[in-house]
């Protein structure tokens, strides 16, 4: 009796355990090879996004939440960047706002250096025009208070036929920067101290 | 040898996983927005399919019946994670555009189905031939769909950055519906109907 | 062939009862064509002769596609006028300066995919003209969102870009009552046939007078939109019913026999749901106009509504469980026989509540 | 609260799993021939999605992240779903025979339903907290059930229609899915 029980019950479990162990070992091995690569690939991709706005950058540092950045050239601060999120037509629009290195007493002092879209899911042929330069270039050298549709007195012209996406970009920038302004200030001051 | 060729042909034509068995529809429709994606997905699926069939076929004698399915799932999940990590490390762009459909290969009915229905009962050579056939069949189907979607949706065909050709009228006014999800349903629905009308596949 | 005749026998039982007689269909379709002439004339008056070309191309494409589809299916082509109606309706919901090739693609899609692939007249699930319009909107978003101001000259080919009343960025210079009058006559930017509420209303009244449509769907549909717009702060109810394509949709599209529910109660639910959706889309959604999408969505719900208000609604536990989904022919005939009885009894029950 | 509501609408309508994300297509086309089975399948999916999302969320943040083994997530999540489905099947069979007869045959199909595994991935990728995870799972399930019910209603009607031979069955179902997808675009921006 006990023998059949062993065969019927224990062997399958042992077998499954062995398979799981092999699987874990194999994955741990693959992970050890690829981990560094994946991290550097992510970092490189992000650096490329930043260098669009800061062509002479050599390095950057970010805060813990990884949404505010200070950009350097040989230890000189040349600007800041903030990741912003807008809620568009088909989902969230993730953007990177590059800022001039102004003094940071309030959000009114901020001047945008440029804007790029990291990811979005807007409608092709319409909303996805937010990634085109004719729209994005409007965000160069604009003060924070000017980030508003020209219809309501701001500096940004909406894309015709895609007002929702245009508004989403603007609302995303404004609300995210207001949310993250304190952590940006904190990051900048910590960088200056060190 | 004849045997092996027969198994190969079966997957490509007689039992084409997408057109005939209607398996693995989710990745087929989701990532077929460009030919690049189709090739990337095919490569990933082929790797998992062939490795899974090899391993399952090798251990078919020793696998206890009661834990057969969990063992298969663990094997497939491991292989899928290997593909996922490797693609993330070496081809991050492609990996990003395929998104969660790479890890979702683990629930692709083609793979578990072939492991369970074929590899667990057949020899190594036959299992490899079966996996190759199914993989090529899947690849052909997804490439055809992505060809139509890319052509109609963007007006041009580019493969890994190389421009192949562009359709003059379409290029100025591409029908973006084909890049959107609905376009995938339309293309596959019309393809199936055309194949049936021509008598290539049986009407269901 | 034998199989097909069986199919056709089933059809008479299952789909709307209005279309089993060919002669009737024909007559109805030509009355609709007649009623549609007025909005078309309005379109030509406001946006120029080019719009007439759009209508003609659309109708010709629709008829040709229908003819080809019948040939492919080895069926007899019957000129029942339904393709003309679809072609006209499709043209009426297009922007005035749409390129003709887009009209051809759209009209062919309406007939080939939305109508014939589902089995032809009487079998389509979605309203062909609206589905075609939605398809073209998604395909060529840029073309479908460029509107022009009325030129009020038949021969003019001018096109001064302008926003539609419902679109973003529309500002009206005159007083509110002037706006209402312009909306009523159609002196605003918009689709070829949907701008003039008055012309559509006259066409709709013709349909009502000849008994082609019943009052229920248009009245409930427009009424729901009015009521909801009135309830939501900051919305102008009169503006909401006059602007956009609500009248055209309510009289000519939502009332389509094939794609709306069969029973009175079902039609009430259908029209109410469509009205709610219009307001949801216009006020909270990202599209300025919601009539086309609201009707398409309710078309999708029509089979479920029909089930629910039919004798054996889903959720009731019927005594004879096996005939809950009577797909076999024999089960069908009995189903029809006891339909009227049960229908009235459920109606009474609901009425008491 | 507002955020939770918009996650729900997003998952159920705007980014509907079947129509916009291509998740769960096999059951969508396989189990949409009859309304009764579609609703049963939908309910089973909602239950499994909910349970799987909660368990996988807990495992991910309590086990995988602390130990730095997030690469195990695919394997762990699929095993979670497979075992949950088993447990659910056994519990239902022992407690309620009627329910088992209604849902039982659909449960095994859910293991390989990519919608369930997909929602667990999305929850982790979007860095949702537990409340958001629950809402997103329910939204995805409700959205799936809704289109499954609509689809089955339409297909029952199409069964009686004179659909061309070449389109009969699956191809016409694809066309319905396309038109439904277009109609569902109306919900865009409603969050």
């Amino acid at each position: 009796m006990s023998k059949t029980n062993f065969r019927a019950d224990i062997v399958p479990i042992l077998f499954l355990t062995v398979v799981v162990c092999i699987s874990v070992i194999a994955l741990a091995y693959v992970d050890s090879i690829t981990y560094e690569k994946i991290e550097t690939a992510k970092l490189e991709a992000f650096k490329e996004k930043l260098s669009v706005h800061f062509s002479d950058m050599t390095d950057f540092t970010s805060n813990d939440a990884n949404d505010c950045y200070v950009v350097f050239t040989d230890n000189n601060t040349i600007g800041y960047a903030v990741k912003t999120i807008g809620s568009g037509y088909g989902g969230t629009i993730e953007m990177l706002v590059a800022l001039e290195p102004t003094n940071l007493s309030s959000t009114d002092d901020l001047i945008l250096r440029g804007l790029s879209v990291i990811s979005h899911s807007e409608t092709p042929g319409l909303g996805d025009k937010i990634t085109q330069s004719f729209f994005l270039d409007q965000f160069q050298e604009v003060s924070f208070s000017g980030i508003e549709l020209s219809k309501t007195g701001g500096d940004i012209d909406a894309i015709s036929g895609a007002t929702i996406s245009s508004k989403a970009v603007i609302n995303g920038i404004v609300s995210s920067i207001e949310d993250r302004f304190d952590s940006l200030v904190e990051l900048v001051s910590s960088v200056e101290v060190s | 040898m004849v045997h092996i060729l027969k198994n190969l042909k079966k997957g490509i034509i007689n039992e084409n996983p997408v057109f005939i068995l209607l398996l693995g529809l989710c990745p087929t429709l989701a990532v077929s927005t460009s030919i690049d994606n189709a090739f990337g997905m095919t490569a990933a699926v082929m790797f998992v399919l062939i490795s899974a069939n090899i391993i399952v076929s090798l251990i078919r004698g020793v696998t206890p019946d009661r834990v057969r399915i969990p063992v298969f799932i663990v094997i497939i999940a491991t292989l899928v994670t290997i593909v996922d990590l490797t693609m993330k490390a070496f081809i991050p762009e492609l990996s990003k555009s395929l998104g969660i459909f790479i890890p979702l290969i683990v629930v692709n009915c083609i793979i578990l189905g072939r492991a369970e229905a074929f590899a667990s009962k057949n020899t190594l050579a036959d299992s490899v031939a079966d996996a190759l056939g199914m993989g090529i069949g899947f690849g052909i189907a997804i490439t055809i769909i992505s060809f139509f979607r890319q052509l109609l949706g963007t007006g041009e065909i580019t493969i890994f950055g190389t421009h192949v050709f562009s359709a003059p009228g379409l290029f100025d006014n591409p029908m973006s519906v084909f890049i959107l999800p609905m376009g995938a349903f339309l293309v596959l629905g019309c393809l199936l109907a055309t194949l049936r009308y021509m008598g290539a596949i049986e009407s269901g | 062939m034998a199989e097909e005749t069986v199919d056709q026998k089933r059809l008479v039982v299952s789909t709307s009862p209005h279309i089993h007689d060919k002669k009737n269909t024909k007559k109805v379709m030509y009355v609709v064509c007649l009623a549609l002439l007025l909005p078309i004339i309005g379109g030509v008056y406001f946006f120029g002769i080019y719009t007439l070309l759009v209508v003609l191309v659309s109708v010709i494409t629709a008829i040709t596609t229908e003819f080809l589809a019948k040939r492919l299916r080895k069926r007899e082509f019957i000129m029942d006028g339904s393709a003309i109606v679809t072609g006209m309706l499709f043209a009426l919901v297009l922007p005035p300066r749409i390129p003709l090739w887009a009209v051809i693609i759209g009209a062919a899609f309406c007939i080939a995919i939305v109508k014939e692939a589902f089995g032809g007249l009487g079998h389509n699930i979605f309203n062909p003209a609206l589905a075609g319009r939605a398809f073209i909107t998604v395909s060529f978003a840029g073309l479908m969102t460029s509107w022009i101001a009325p030129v009020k000259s038949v021969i003019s080919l001018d096109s001064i870009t302008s926003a539609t009343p419902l679109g973003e960025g529309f500002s009206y210079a005159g007083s509110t009552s002037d706006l209402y009058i312009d909306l009523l006559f159609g002196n605003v930017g918009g689709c070829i046939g949907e701008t003039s509420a008055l012309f559509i209303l006259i066409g709709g009244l013709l349909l009502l007078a000849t008994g082609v449509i019943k009052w229920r769907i248009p009245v409930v549909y427009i009424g729901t939109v009015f009521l909801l717009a009135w309830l939501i702060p900051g919305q102008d109810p009169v503006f909401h019913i006059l602007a956009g394509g609500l009248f055209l949709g309510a009289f000519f599209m939502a009332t389509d026999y094939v794609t709306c529910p069969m029973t009175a109660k079902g039609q009430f639910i259908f029209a109410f749901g469509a009205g709610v959706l219009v307001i949801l889309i216009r006020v909270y959604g990202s599209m300025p106009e919601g009539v086309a999408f609201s009707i398409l969505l309710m078309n999708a719900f029509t089979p479920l509504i029909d089930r629910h208000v039919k004798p054996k609604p889903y959720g009731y536990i019927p005594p004879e469980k096996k005939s809950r989904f009577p797909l076999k022919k024999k089960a069908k005939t009995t189903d029809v026989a006891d339909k009227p009885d049960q229908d009235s009894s459920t109606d009474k029950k609901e009425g008491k509540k | 609260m507002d955020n939770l509501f918009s996650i729900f609408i997003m998952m159920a309508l705007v980014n509907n799993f079947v129509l916009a994300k291509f998740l769960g297509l096999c059951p969508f086309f396989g189990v949409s021939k009859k309304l009764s089975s579609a609703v049963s399948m939908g309910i089973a999916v909602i239950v499994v999605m909910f349970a799987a999302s909660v368990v996988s969320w807990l495992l991910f943040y309590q086990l995988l992240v602390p130990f730095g083994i997030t690469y195990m997530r695919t394997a762990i999540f699929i095993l979670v779903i497979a075992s949950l489905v088993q447990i659910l099947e056994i519990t239902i069979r022992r407690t309620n025979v009627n329910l088992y007869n209604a849902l039982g045959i659909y449960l095994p199909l859910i293991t390989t339903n990519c919608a369930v595994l997909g929602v667990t991935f999305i929850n982790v990728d979007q860095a949702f907290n537990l409340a958001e995870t629950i809402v997103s799972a329910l939204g995805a399930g409700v959205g799936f059930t809704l289109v499954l019910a609509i689809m089955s209603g339409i297909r029952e009607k199409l069964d009686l229609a004179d659909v061309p031979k070449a389109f009969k069955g699956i191809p016409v179902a694809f066309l319905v899915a396309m038109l439904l997808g277009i109609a569902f675009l109306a919900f865009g921006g409603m969050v």
Side-chain angles (χ1 to χ4, degrees):
Chain A
M1 271 305 267
S2 67
K3 227 179 189 179
T4 48
N5 265 350
F6 177 76
R7 289 222 113 183
D9 297 335
I10 310 295
V11 169
I13 293 169
L14 274 180
F15 190 85
L16 187 58
T17 318
V18 171
V19 171
V20 170
C21 287
I22 296 173
S23 147
V24 173
I25 293 166
L27 285 184
Y29 176 70
V30 175
D31 181 67
S32 70
I33 307 172
T34 55
Y35 184 79
E36 290 282 304
K37 277 236 152 74
I38 294 174
E39 291 303 306
T40 33
K42 271 188 204 161
L43 200 69
E44 283 303 316
F46 187 72
K47 240 180 171 174
E48 218 162 86
K49 291 245 158 64
L50 271 179
S51 66
V52 171
H53 304 292
F54 304 101
S55 50
D56 49 351
M57 72 170 275
T58 51
D59 202 6
F60 70 92
T61 179
S62 76
N63 62 346
D64 297 333
N66 203 32
D67 50 21
C68 298
Y69 309 87
V70 176
V71 184
F72 310 106
T73 304
D74 306 325
N75 289 331
N76 295 318
T77 306
I78 56 165
Y80 316 122
V82 179
K83 242 188 216 172
T84 61
I85 287 176
S87 156
Y89 179 87
T92 51
I93 307 171
E94 213 184 340
M95 295 161 287
L96 188 70
V97 178
L99 298 164
E100 295 288 352
T102 48
N103 97 50
L104 296 173
S105 55
S106 82
T107 51
D108 295 337
D109 300 332
L110 293 174
I111 294 169
L112 267 73
R113 190 177 176 127
L115 173 73
S116 47
V117 175
I118 299 175
S119 69
H120 73 94
S121 43
E122 300 304 286
T123 322
L126 208 56
D128 72 346
K129 286 190 183 137
I130 55 165
T131 60
Q132 290 179 3
S133 56
F134 81 89
F135 179 70
L136 290 177
D137 287 352
Q138 300 186 77
F139 292 86
Q140 284 170 6
E141 306 306 324
V142 181
S143 71
F144 184 68
S145 56
I147 302 295
E148 206 174 323
L149 285 181
S150 46
K151 208 170 69 188
T152 46
D155 291 338
I156 312 294
D157 293 327
I159 301 164
S160 69
T163 323
I164 291 282
S165 303
S166 319
K167 265 188 211 158
V169 168
I170 286 165
N171 293 346
I173 293 173
V174 172
S175 67
S176 299
I177 287 191
E178 274 166 2
D179 283 354
R180 288 166 189 178
F181 186 67
D182 290 340
S183 58
L184 178 68
V185 171
E186 202 176 301
L187 175 71
V188 170
S189 58
S190 75
V191 167
E192 274 160 7
V193 168
S194 63
Chain B
M1 198 55 208
V2 180
H3 213 54
I4 291 172
L5 278 179
K6 216 175 98 191
N7 278 327
L8 200 64
K9 191 186 148 210
K10 178 188 70 189
I12 303 173
I13 300 165
N14 312 31
E15 285 180 27
N16 186 296
V18 178
F19 289 144
I20 313 244
L21 303 180
L22 295 167
L23 291 177
L25 287 179
C26 302
T28 312
L29 294 174
V31 304
S32 58
T33 46
S34 74
I35 292 184
D36 295 4
N37 282 357
F39 286 169
M41 196 70 205
T42 310
V45 167
M46 288 262 268
F47 171 80
V48 178
L49 191 54
I50 295 172
S51 321
N53 262 18
I54 290 176
I55 297 171
V56 167
S57 173
L58 284 177
I59 62 167
R60 72 181 192 279
V62 289
T63 316
D65 222 33
R66 284 178 64 185
V67 290
R68 201 177 68 241
I69 299 289
V71 166
F72 293 167
I73 290 179
V74 171
I75 293 171
I76 294 169
T78 312
L79 292 167
V80 168
T81 312
I82 292 174
V83 171
D84 191 20
L85 293 174
T86 316
M87 287 181 83
K88 269 192 186 134
F90 296 100
I91 32 175
E93 284 293 308
L94 190 59
S95 154
K96 209 180 164 191
S97 65
L98 296 178
I100 60 168
F101 286 94
I102 290 291
L104 282 180
I105 295 175
V106 78
V107 282
N108 190 318
C109 325
I110 302 175
I111 291 158
L112 191 62
R114 290 334 280 178
E116 161 72 5
F118 197 90
S120 65
K121 295 172 192 127
N122 286 285
T123 60
L124 183 62
D126 283 340
S127 302
V128 172
D130 178 73
L132 256 179
M134 284 289 161
I136 296 172
F138 173 80
I140 290 175
I142 191 172
T143 310
I144 293 176
I145 295 168
S146 64
F147 173 80
F148 283 116
R149 287 185 72 188
Q150 197 182 3
L151 182 66
L152 296 169
T154 65
E156 59 176 345
I157 296 289
T158 48
I159 300 173
F160 294 115
T162 327
H163 179 84
V164 182
F165 70 93
S166 49
L170 266 174
F171 187 67
D172 301 322
N173 283 298
M175 300 182 70
S176 29
V177 69
F178 285 99
I179 292 295
L180 289 169
M182 309 103 221
F185 289 121
L186 180 60
V187 168
L188 187 52
C190 291
L191 262 178
L192 283 179
T194 315
L195 288 175
R196 281 182 178 187
Y197 192 80
M198 298 187 321
I201 55 176
E202 271 176 42
S203 303
Chain C
M1 256 337 261
E3 238 183 80
E4 272 151 14
T5 42
V6 170
D7 271 346
Q8 271 156 0
K9 256 185 207 161
R10 282 182 186 174
L11 162 180
V12 176
V13 179
S14 66
T15 53
S16 308
H18 314 80
I19 15 163
H20 42 203
D21 186 1
K22 284 271 150 52
K23 256 185 190 161
N24 254 341
T25 309
K26 218 170 180 175
K27 216 189 266 169
V28 163
M29 289 301 171
Y30 287 125
V31 172
V32 177
C33 287
L34 198 69
L36 280 173
L37 278 181
L38 213 55
I40 291 175
I41 293 169
V44 175
Y45 171 71
F46 284 116
F47 299 112
I49 197 83
Y50 180 80
T51 53
L52 190 64
L53 203 60
V54 171
V55 176
L56 283 177
V57 167
S58 173
V59 170
I60 292 168
T61 313
I63 295 172
T64 318
T65 314
E66 175 122 339
F67 177 75
L68 290 176
K70 291 286 187 219
R71 277 292 282 276
L72 272 177
R73 294 183 62 191
K74 301 183 181 71
R75 294 279 173 86
E76 193 192 348
F77 171 72
I78 301 158
M79 190 69 183
D80 56 11
S82 67
I84 303 178
V85 169
T86 302
M88 281 175 146
L89 282 173
F90 176 64
L92 284 177
V93 291
L94 293 174
R97 288 292 178 270
I98 182 120
L100 292 178
W101 53 263
V103 181
I104 295 175
I105 294 177
F109 179 86
C110 291
I111 298 291
I113 301 290
V114 190
K115 198 173 146 199
E116 285 303 321
F118 284 79
L121 182 66
H123 303 288
N124 50 308
I125 300 292
F126 296 92
N127 181 304
L130 285 181
R133 190 241 161 113
F135 178 77
I136 290 297
T137 309
V138 181
S139 298
F140 310 109
L143 293 180
M144 291 295 287
T145 45
S146 48
W147 310 101
I148 62 161
V151 290
K152 279 197 266 182
S153 153
V154 175
I155 43 158
S156 169
L157 280 173
D158 287 354
S159 49
I160 308 148
T161 352
S162 129
T164 60
L166 282 166
E168 283 111 328
F170 176 79
S171 52
Y172 192 78
S175 68
T176 329
S177 55
D178 284 349
L179 172 63
Y180 292 161
I181 287 168
D182 272 354
L183 285 172
L184 198 61
F185 287 101
N187 193 15
V188 285
C191 290
I192 294 175
E194 70 181 23
T195 56
S196 164
L198 190 67
F199 285 172
I200 298 160
L201 197 62
I202 296 170
L205 289 177
L206 176 68
L207 292 188
L208 278 172
T210 48
V212 171
I213 59 169
K214 300 271 185 316
W215 60 271
R216 195 172 292 106
I217 289 182
V219 168
V220 174
Y221 189 13
I222 297 171
T224 308
V225 172
F226 185 86
L227 211 67
L228 283 175
W230 182 64
L231 285 175
I232 296 172
Q235 301 294 331
D236 179 349
V238 181
F239 174 75
H240 264 289
I241 62 166
L242 288 179
L246 186 64
F247 274 52
L248 190 67
F251 283 105
F252 290 91
M253 317 272 204
T255 49
D256 179 1
Y257 298 148
V258 187
T259 55
C260 78
M262 308 178 215
T263 56
K265 214 165 91 191
Q267 291 175 354
F268 182 85
I269 299 171
F270 178 92
F272 178 73
V276 172
L277 282 168
V278 167
I279 288 295
L280 275 180
I281 296 168
R282 282 186 182 174
V283 180
Y284 302 105
S286 53
M287 277 182 256
E289 172 60 312
V291 171
F293 286 96
S294 75
I295 297 174
L296 282 177
L297 278 169
M298 291 319 290
N299 284 164
F301 278 103
T302 295
L304 294 183
I305 296 173
D306 265 341
R307 281 187 72 100
H308 201 79
V309 293
K310 254 164 69 175
K312 290 170 213 150
Y314 175 74
Y316 281 40
I317 298 154
E320 71 285 33
K321 245 193 165 170
K322 268 178 192 163
S323 64
R324 204 162 134 191
F325 304 108
L327 292 177
K328 286 185 184 107
K329 274 174 285 165
K330 275 190 182 166
K332 266 272 98 131
T333 41
T334 54
D335 198 42
V336 173
D338 55 29
K339 200 185 263 175
D341 270 325
Q342 299 204 2
D343 208 351
S344 56
S345 69
T346 40
D347 271 346
K348 269 178 211 158
K349 254 183 231 163
E350 292 296 320
K352 271 176 196 166
K353 279 175 200 167
Chain D
M1 211 33 222
D2 203 31
N3 183 32
L4 291 184
F5 180 71
S6 61
I7 288 177
F8 185 86
I9 298 290
M10 202 64 153
M11 297 297 271
L13 299 176
V14 181
N15 284 330
N16 185 279
F17 261 37
V18 177
L19 303 175
K21 286 204 154 126
F22 296 113
L23 293 168
L25 292 184
C26 294
F28 179 65
F29 289 111
V31 200
S32 61
K33 285 186 198 118
K34 278 189 176 183
L35 182 64
S36 55
S37 39
V39 172
S40 302
M41 178 70 178
I43 293 168
V45 166
I46 294 176
V47 172
V48 178
M49 267 187 180
F50 171 75
S53 292
V54 172
V55 175
S56 62
W57 189 89
L58 290 174
L59 280 176
F60 189 79
Y61 288 108
Q62 304 301 322
L63 188 78
L64 299 186
V65 173
F67 285 94
I69 48 168
T70 47
Y71 56 83
M72 288 301 291
R73 90 174 181 177
T74 309
I76 299 280
F77 285 8
I78 183 72
L79 287 176
V80 163
I81 293 167
S83 15
L84 270 177
V85 168
Q86 283 281 312
I87 294 169
L88 210 68
E89 197 183 343
I90 294 168
T91 345
I92 294 180
R93 190 165 53 200
R94 294 210 177 141
T95 51
N96 190 333
V97 181
N98 285 337
L99 192 65
Y100 180 75
N101 288 336
L103 296 187
I105 47 165
Y106 303 110
L107 282 171
L109 285 177
I110 293 176
T111 312
T112 53
N113 180 347
C114 50
V116 180
L117 189 60
V119 78
T120 61
F121 284 151
I122 289 172
N123 292 336
V124 171
D125 283 344
Q126 299 272 321
F128 283 157
N129 63 33
L130 190 56
E132 288 167 341
T133 296
I134 291 172
V135 172
S136 109
L138 291 178
V142 169
F144 179 81
T145 311
L146 179 71
V147 289
L148 200 62
I150 292 177
M151 188 68 172
S152 62
I154 292 175
R155 284 184 76 178
E156 282 187 9
K157 198 172 166 186
L158 282 175
D159 265 350
L160 307 165
D162 183 25
V163 177
K165 241 185 189 165
F167 276 101
K168 199 122 200 149
I170 291 291
V172 78
F174 277 119
L175 296 186
V176 173
M178 173 203 56
L179 292 169
L180 267 183
I182 293 181
F184 265 62
L185 281 180
F187 296 112
M190 263 190 219
V191 279

